[in-house]
Structure formats: C-alpha cells, structure tokens
C-alpha cells in the first residue's frame, strides 16, 4: 500500500504474481475471467436479494454480514483488475478518463437532482450507456435549447 | 494520481464529489448501485458475446473496440467503488485482506495448475465462493492428507 | 400457442428456426449465448436501477415502461431457451424436476414465513444454491430436531 | 404438462402456489426477485467459467455436470417466471411478441450470416438492445438502400 492507499497497480501485480505462482495463467483468458466476474457479481447480489431496501452504511447488519459484503466486493474487484490486465488495459487510467467523460456528459447545471440518462438530458442520439445515472423511458424536461454545444456533449 | 498509480481512495473521493455536485446522493442507495453495477457488467458482456474465445491482449481488436472495453471496465469499477463507499466498506483494505485469505485457501503446492475450487482441493465443507479458481462438480484428486489444517483452511 | 398457453418447446422451435434462417447457428455456442443472456439481464436491471423499492404490479409505471420490462424479460427468456437447447437440455423437464426438488428442500412446515436458505433450515452442509429463498449468514432458529430426514433432505 | 410440453402458465401457477404455501409472497417484490435472478445467472456462469470454449451439446461433460447446468438454467427460468408474474406481465405473450419484433428487426435477407446489431444493419438510431445478434463498434457494410422501410424498422 502506498501512503495514499491501495493502488490498482498494486492489486494488478499481486494478482499476476498469485496466478503465476499457481500456474493459473493458462485459465485466465478474457472470457474465462469475465464469466468468473459475473459469478462474483451473482454472489454479491445474493447477499442483498431478500433484504428489500437497505439504508446507507448497512446500519442493522451483523459484522459477519458486512464482512461477507466486503469479501464479495473484493472478489468482483480482483477479477476486474485481472480481466483488465489480461485485456491489456490500464484500468486506473481508463477510470480517470471515464470520470472526465462523465463530467462532460453530465454537466452539473443540467443534471442536478435528476436521474435521467445523458441522452435524455442532452437530447442527442448517443446510445452509449451513461454512468451514474441512467433511466430509460423518462421524458426529458430539458429542452437543451439554451445550452451551448460544449455543455451538451 | 499518486506516484504509484491510481488509488481506490482517490476514485472514491472523485465519485463522492461527482454525486454531491449533482445532488445524486439521493439515488445512490446500496441496491440502486448494485443494480447499476449489474447493468454495467451486462454492457461489458455484450462486447464479448459473439466473439468466441478471445486471446490475451485482444490483439485483433480495433482501437475503438479496445477503448470501449476500457470504458465498460471503468463503469463497473466506478460503481463498485461507489457501492463500497455507500456500504461503509474500505474496498482497498478488504481487497488486500481477501488476497491474504486466498493465499491460505489456495496453497501453491496444492493448487498448482489446477482450476479446482478450494473446497475440492482441501476436502472441507466450506461453501464460500473461492476466488481465482472455482469449478464445481469436479472430483478432487487431492487427498490433502499431508497438509496441516492451517494450510488447508 | 397451445390451448394452455405458450410452451417452452414452442419457443425453442421458433428460436431454432429463426437462427437457421439467418445462418446464425455459427454464433450460437454455449458461452456466446451465456454472455448474451448476461447482457440482457443487465438491460433488465437498468430499468430498475434508480427506482428504489418497487411495488408488485408496477402500478405507477407508464405503459411504455411496462412494455420495456416485458421486452427485456422476453430477451432473457429467449436466450435462456436457446442456451438450453444448444446445451442439449430439456428446459421444461428440468424446471419441473427442480420444482420437485425445491418442494423437498423447503418443506412447508419448516419454511413458513422464513427467507432462510435450505441449508440453514435443515442444518445440513449442502452448498447447492437454493431456489426461492436464499440468505446467507442468518442464524437458523430451526432446530430441525423433530423432522424426519426425508423431510429435511 | 399439456400435451405439447411445459407451458409458462403452468410454471407461473406452480411458483405462485409454492410461495403462497410457504408464506413467501412477502419476500417476492420485483427487485428482490431481480437480484435473486442475478444470483442464479451468476451460479450458471460459474459452471462455465474455467472451461474455455465449449462445444454444442456439452459432449465431454459428465452427467453430473450436465444435470447441474439443467438445475441452474431452471433456477433462472423459475425466478424469471415469478418476476414476470409479480410485475403483472404475461411472459409467454411478451415473448411471442418479441419474436415478431425480432423478425422485423432482423430481416433474413440483411442478417444472413452476420452478427451485426440491427442498428448497424439498418442504419437507424434505435438504441434498443437487439436480440440474437448484437455487436457494437462494427462498421456495417450494408447500405440498406434497396430495403423498404418496412423491412428496416
């Protein structure tokens, strides 16, 4: 861990070492890892499946359950880091870039308090899945007419 | 970004700022974020769905496609980081801890070259989903007889 | 459609015809279809992602939204039917058999009003994922002591 | 089972009876069932995760493994049927309708041997997820110029 916390680079290296030591590189093809990731997302979902709505911070959960959540979140992360590595993608760099794209896609002035997808905010035809806010089939109340194009794309 | 690369802490902070500025905290409940994560895993899977087996490094993919993979991997990561934060879980710490647990669950000497689940390697009844190698219904050829119990659990 | 409603057999045949006419059998390998199924589950999840808890019958949803749900549910079903066919599995027969297994796993007298997993109800070590009710990490209050083993397995 | 095979209506009724007898209706909200469905898709994916490409019919799989696949496919189906019921959607009717829509979206003459998404075949801006064939980021070689609009939408 660096002074500022755990880096994605560090996890990537640990996963690569782990696999190499066990001769597991042979199993770590992109689609194998992707299906393993899906499996872990399934395990994470199972924890939440009969809970109904759950408040932030999981205040009434037992320590054992919260630890279980942490383990499943970690499993998803570790496979995600490994899948990125095997695909030749720098996940940290890609994530920072995506955050910048999202800031452009969801300008504060147009997105405030709305869960509308950016295609509904901006009125364009971009079908790319928007991060952080994405509801289909809502009518956008934003005419976007007064926005400059830099706001809207 | 710290000198050693992008930290999970940094992404967490950026996501929290992003949501606060847009008044989106109201949408970011644990199960909302979990379903959003599932949605992004679906988008990632769509990229790979008609490809058949894909070699490491995605050598024959167009730049555009590889960039698309990077964006979807990032979307999964960003929701995962946000979900962890909203659940009150330190994802970096949890991931390092899980890596240590995995090293105990999958001792090098017993796991080498095998994709068997740790329950099959160790012959115990632990039903916890094993990371990095997990196949059900294989018969384990490992008797585990020479292992100490501390190696095996 | 037979008099009693749409059969799985009928959907299977329609999907096979559809693929054959378009020369798409070449794309319909088990793992390709599985990833396509994951993609559709992601699209279904996106509809529900920012909704918070949703009441039965989706009473306040617009017709357009409910139709969208029906389409995504259908996409999941159609890929599931096709995947089963390609794997050589009779899905209808398997589902009826699974329902019988579930009735044994979750005896009415022990399961009433409880979302506990059958492993917690019965106190056995079966790690098979239980259908219809599955929460981990709950303590079972059921001692199972008065049950006959035929009830419990 | 009707003469023509297992109907979706029949499974729906069995699931409703099963839940009512166990007083489980209280747990079967739309989002609870959706997360349970995601959990089962995860279990299905785990079976295939370290396999690499798998041929049709799963010829080299043990009976035990094929039975496991049948069980997980069934779990996904049963939750899907239940979720549809709880959402007030006639799944069989919706599936037949979706098949008709797909036949229009993917006209035989334009789709033959191509895994391109219908938006790429038809050159329209429809961002709806296409069933049975869906790859993003491919350039469509089809000019669609000779097609009538009824073929193309």
């Amino acid at each position: 861990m660096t002074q500022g916390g755990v880096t994605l680079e560090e996890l990537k290296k640990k996963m690569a070492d782990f696999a190499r030591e066990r001769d597991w590189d042979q199993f770590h093809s992109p689609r194998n890892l992707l299906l393993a990731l899906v499996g872990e997302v399934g395990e994470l979902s199972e924890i939440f499946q009969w809970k109904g709505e759950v408040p932030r911070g999981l205040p009434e959960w037992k320590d054992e359950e919260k630890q279980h959540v942490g383990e499943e979140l970690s499993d998803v992360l570790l496979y995600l880091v490994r899948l990125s590595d095997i695909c030749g993608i720098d996940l940290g760099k890609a994530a920072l870039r995506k955050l910048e794209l999202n800031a452009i896609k969801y300008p504060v002035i147009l997105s405030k308090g709305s869960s509308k997808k950016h295609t509904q905010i901006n009125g364009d035809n971009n079908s790319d899945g928007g991060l952080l806010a994405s509801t289909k089939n809502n009518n956008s109340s934003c005419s976007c007419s007064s926005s400059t194009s830099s706001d809207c794309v």
Side-chain angles (χ1 to χ4, degrees), chain A:
Chain A
M1 202 189 307
T2 68
Q3 204 164 9
V6 182
T7 64
L8 291 164
E9 198 64 31
E10 182 183 357
L11 295 177
K12 179 181 108 174
K13 195 181 167 315
K14 281 180 187 288
M15 291 293 283
D17 292 345
F18 197 94
R20 194 179 317 107
E21 286 164 12
R22 282 157 188 79
D23 205 8
W24 281 356
D25 283 316
Q26 60 185 313
F27 303 120
H28 288 189
S29 66
R31 300 219 312 182
N32 278 10
L33 288 164
L34 176 54
L35 286 172
L37 175 72
V38 173
E40 296 300 335
V41 170
E43 292 188 24
L44 181 62
S45 298
E46 280 182 20
I47 305 179
F48 288 89
Q49 72 191 355
W50 303 125
K51 298 283 191 186
E53 214 40 35
V54 169
R56 291 173 70 140
L58 315 179
E60 288 173 32
W61 292 40
K62 291 182 231 164
D63 286 348
E64 184 183 73
E65 274 185 312
K66 289 182 77 165
Q67 189 173 314
H68 188 198
V69 174
E71 289 176 9
E72 298 304 342
L73 289 166
S74 298
D75 283 348
V76 176
L77 176 63
L78 293 172
Y79 275 130
L80 191 71
V81 164
R82 183 69 176 154
L83 174 57
S84 303
D85 187 17
I86 292 299
C87 288
I89 284 163
D90 185 327
L91 182 58
K93 213 168 138 183
L96 290 181
R97 187 178 163 278
K98 193 60 167 59
L99 276 166
E100 286 173 19
L101 288 175
N102 288 337
I104 297 170
K105 276 211 267 190
Y106 297 99
V108 170
I109 199 167
L110 294 174
S111 309
K112 201 134 189 167
S114 162
S115 69
K116 290 196 178 70
K117 197 167 181 169
H118 73 103
T119 51
Q120 297 168 317
I121 291 172
N122 297 334
D124 63 24
N125 288 312
N126 191 335
S127 67
D128 183 28
L131 182 75
L132 282 171
S134 174
T135 46
K136 290 182 179 174
N137 294 327
N138 282 351
N139 294 321
S140 172
S141 57
C142 163
S143 70
C144 211
S145 59
S146 64
S147 307
T148 66
S149 66
S150 65
D151 282 347
C152 273
V153 183

